């Protein structure tokens, strides 16, 4: 029989945290926002990881908006694929860590939601 460490997140929290990271690939900040709204009043793993995913997706949204503006001087056409690939890679890394119950912090994110 497996023993569960005291303080380790439950499987439901791990699944919600993993979902918050993965939804960023498809829905931008909306998916992480919904999960964070559902879990914001309960302290724990799902809350902190949804908040982390939300902050990263807000940062990516700002990056995509800047790239769109820069597309008028042709630099944005290079930035959009770079941002998309970075978003894909970091969201997958976050989902893998969350599924194992490990805290994941994105290497760059504007921390707007505290």
């Amino acid at each position: 029989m497996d023993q569960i460490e005291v303080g380790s997140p439950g499987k439901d929290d791990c699944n919600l945290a993993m979902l918050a990271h993965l939804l960023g690939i498809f829905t931008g900040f909306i998916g992480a926002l919904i999960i964070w709204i559902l879990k914001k009043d309960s302290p724990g793993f799902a809350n902190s990881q949804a908040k982390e995913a939300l902050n990263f997706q807000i940062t990516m949204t700002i990056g995509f908006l800047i790239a769109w503006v820069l597309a008028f001087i042709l630099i944005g056409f290079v930035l959009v694929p770079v941002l998309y690939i970075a978003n894909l890679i970091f969201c997958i890394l976050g989902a893998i860590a969350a599924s194992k119950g490990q805290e994941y912090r994105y290497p760059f994110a504007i921390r707007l939601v505290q």
Side-chain angles (χ1 to χ4, degrees):
M1 190 162 149
D2 293 332
Q3 291 184 350
I4 299 174
E5 291 180 29
V6 176
S8 65
K11 198 63 180 160
D12 288 340
D13 278 347
C14 289
N15 288 338
L16 277 175
M18 181 180 67
L19 187 61
H21 290 289
L22 286 178
L23 282 175
I25 297 169
F26 306 106
T27 66
F29 67 90
I30 301 296
L33 176 64
I34 291 170
I35 292 176
W36 179 67
I37 287 172
L38 292 174
K39 295 305 257 180
K40 72 178 180 179
D41 294 330
S42 60
F45 184 69
N47 176 19
S48 69
Q49 289 301 292
K51 200 179 329 178
E52 184 68 20
L54 177 60
N55 282 325
F56 180 70
Q57 290 306 319
I58 290 171
T59 303
M60 292 305 293
T61 301
I62 292 169
F64 279 116
L65 289 173
I66 291 170
W68 183 79
V69 170
L70 290 176
F72 292 110
I73 56 173
L74 302 178
I75 296 171
F77 292 116
V78 175
L79 291 177
V80 169
V82 169
L83 287 173
Y84 181 75
I85 291 169
N87 186 36
L88 181 69
I89 290 169
F90 289 129
C91 286
I92 290 171
L93 290 174
I96 291 169
S99 71
K100 296 177 183 176
Q102 301 168 349
E103 293 280 337
Y104 182 77
R105 286 202 40 112
Y106 288 94
F108 59 92
I110 301 170
R111 314 257 183 250
L112 296 173
V113 180
Q114 296 294 326

